[in-house]
Amino acid sequence: MREVAFIKQNKEKWLEFEQAIFGKAKKNPDELASLYIHLVNDLSFAQTYYPKSKSVTYLNHLASITYQKIYKTKREESNRFISFFKTEVPLIVYQYRRYVLYAFILFTIFTAIGVISAMNDTTFVRLILGDHYVNMTLENIDNGNPVAVYKSGSNWGMWFSITKNNLEVGLKSFFFGIFGGLGTAYILFRNCVMLGSFQYFFLEQGVFWESVRGIWIHGAMEIFAMVIEAAAGLILGASLLFPKTYSRKASLKMGFKNSFKIVLATMPFTIMAGILEGFITRYSPDMPRFLNIFIILATLALISFYFLIYPFIVHKKTHLKNV
């Protein structure tokens, strides 16, 4: 069958899906499930015979949204809070996985800019971090503890202030995505340049590994969550700029709802990073090295699994269940 005929044959059915999704046609969960099965069959057919067609993109997007609609409306015996993190968010992350990739690409480029700038301009680190912070860090290095700054203040006080600041930065990165994603890119740029120049500064001072042992105890989750929040901001911007077959208002509404759920999912990791920074990082120089490495790798593995691997597992499981 030619693609034009395929589209003509199924156009009315797909419009029915859209009307069901956006509430223009009331459907109960069983009816939606039946429609979803037909939609998945159409998607499989299109993937087989028109693999590079826009029909595949459209149907894949429609199938993801339809599944979310079914999941939202049908009665669940499980706890809503658990299902949010266990199924709903991973499916959304899978749906927008390319934006996660874009965010990591930008993170790498912007961090490299910070490193290269610090390498080629001896005043750059002071420009970014400020004279007071640089002088304090140099004094700490001379005293044998490059990350002594994390010992300042009480455990609870540092945890609260750091967590509050990181949550604010994450939300700002997300909401600034409304400016076509440019605001999000700017926030990410600032933080990545700071990170790159900061780490190069320790390398230049000959205490790079000492700094890694301390900073990345909390930094693995904190920085990773920052990138995921940036991905959410890019999704928000893209929903405004590229509405596809939807009206711009409907696209923005859907993009905001889905991307904000991703941001909410980063918050437990950000809070955990604040706890580690307030209560654990200050003791990093006194820890056995294997313990430093274990905490860093364990926290990085946990957040990486949830946002990079688990979404594929959930998608595959739900796809097989509903086909």
Side-chain angles (χ1 to χ4, degrees):
M1 181 187 300
R2 299 186 66 177
E3 185 180 6
V4 174
F6 173 69
I7 294 173
K8 185 176 181 180
Q9 176 180 310
N10 295 284
K11 182 179 178 181
E12 293 301 322
K13 180 172 59 177
W14 299 341
L15 288 175
E16 185 180 0
F17 294 149
E18 289 195 23
Q19 290 172 350
I21 290 170
F22 294 106
K24 297 175 183 178
K26 298 298 182 181
K27 298 286 184 183
N28 63 45
D30 291 333
E31 289 177 315
L32 282 174
S34 177
L35 290 173
Y36 178 73
I37 292 172
H38 288 290
L39 183 60
V40 170
N41 289 335
D42 290 342
L43 174 59
S44 298
F45 185 88
Q47 287 175 328
T48 301
Y49 296 100
Y50 326 113
K52 297 182 180 181
S53 169
K54 290 183 179 180
S55 299
V56 173
T57 303
Y58 168 74
L59 291 172
N60 188 50
H61 181 69
L62 199 58
S64 298
I65 301 302
T66 304
Y67 178 80
Q68 289 178 37
K69 186 74 174 180
I70 297 169
Y71 184 78
K72 179 181 178 182
T73 54
K74 77 180 212 178
R75 294 179 179 177
E76 292 287 341
E77 295 180 0
S78 60
N79 184 281
R80 180 69 181 87
F81 179 80
I82 294 175
S83 64
F84 175 79
F85 287 96
K86 184 180 178 181
T87 306
E88 189 171 355
V89 170
L91 285 175
I92 294 173
V93 172
Y94 178 85
Q95 178 185 340
Y96 294 101
R97 59 195 180 280
R98 59 178 176 152
Y99 291 96
V100 175
L101 175 61
Y102 298 156
F104 272 102
I105 291 174
L106 289 176
F107 168 78
T108 302
I109 294 172
F110 293 160
T111 304
I113 290 173
V115 172
I116 294 170
S117 298
M119 288 175 60
N120 291 280
D121 185 350
T122 56
T123 65
F124 186 76
V125 175
R126 291 183 177 274
L127 177 66
I128 297 297
L129 301 176
D131 288 330
H132 172 72
Y133 190 86
V134 172
N135 292 335
M136 177 184 65
T137 304
L138 287 172
E139 183 177 342
N140 290 337
I141 292 172
D142 290 338
N143 292 333
N145 187 0
V147 292
V149 65
Y150 297 106
K151 286 189 174 182
S152 60
S154 66
N155 292 15
W156 286 100
M158 174 166 282
W159 166 74
F160 179 79
S161 61
I162 289 296
T163 301
K164 178 175 177 290
N165 177 72
N166 290 341
L167 290 174
E168 288 176 351
V169 171
L171 288 172
K172 185 184 294 185
S173 177
F174 166 65
F175 283 114
F176 276 26
I178 197 66
F179 301 108
L182 294 178
T184 295
Y186 173 71
I187 297 296
L188 186 63
F189 175 78
R190 284 182 54 188
N191 284 280
C192 289
V193 167
M194 186 181 297
L195 173 66
S197 60
F198 185 56
Q199 283 289 202
Y200 180 78
F201 171 71
F202 284 111
L203 178 64
E204 190 178 42
Q205 298 300 317
V207 290
F208 177 75
W209 289 112
E210 288 82 351
S211 72
V212 168
R213 287 178 60 189
I215 295 169
W216 289 94
I217 282 179
H218 62 271
M221 280 189 173
E222 180 183 309
I223 300 301
F224 202 111
M226 178 184 74
V227 178
I228 299 299
E229 289 155 355
L234 295 177
I235 293 168
L236 179 61
S239 70
L240 178 64
L241 295 178
F242 311 109
K244 296 183 179 178
T245 60
Y246 307 103
S247 68
R248 200 170 298 276
K249 181 179 179 181
S251 176
L252 181 60
K253 180 181 178 181
M254 182 171 58
F256 176 83
K257 184 172 69 172
N258 288 335
S259 55
F260 188 63
K261 288 178 180 179
I262 294 175
V263 173
L264 289 177
T266 67
M267 290 185 177
F269 295 100
T270 300
I271 293 171
M272 179 58 69
I275 292 173
L276 290 171
E277 187 167 357
F279 292 89
I280 305 299
T281 300
R282 62 180 61 217
Y283 303 114
S284 60
D286 306 317
M287 290 180 185
R289 181 163 297 190
F290 81 88
L291 184 57
N292 295 93
I293 296 172
F294 173 78
I295 295 174
I296 293 170
L297 293 180
T299 54
L300 180 60
L302 178 62
I303 192 169
S304 297
F305 174 79
Y306 184 76
F307 285 107
L308 300 184
I309 300 173
Y310 187 58
F312 287 85
I313 296 174
V314 176
H315 170 75
K316 183 177 180 179
K317 182 179 179 181
T318 55
H319 181 75
L320 292 175
K321 182 180 178 181
N322 289 282
V323 170

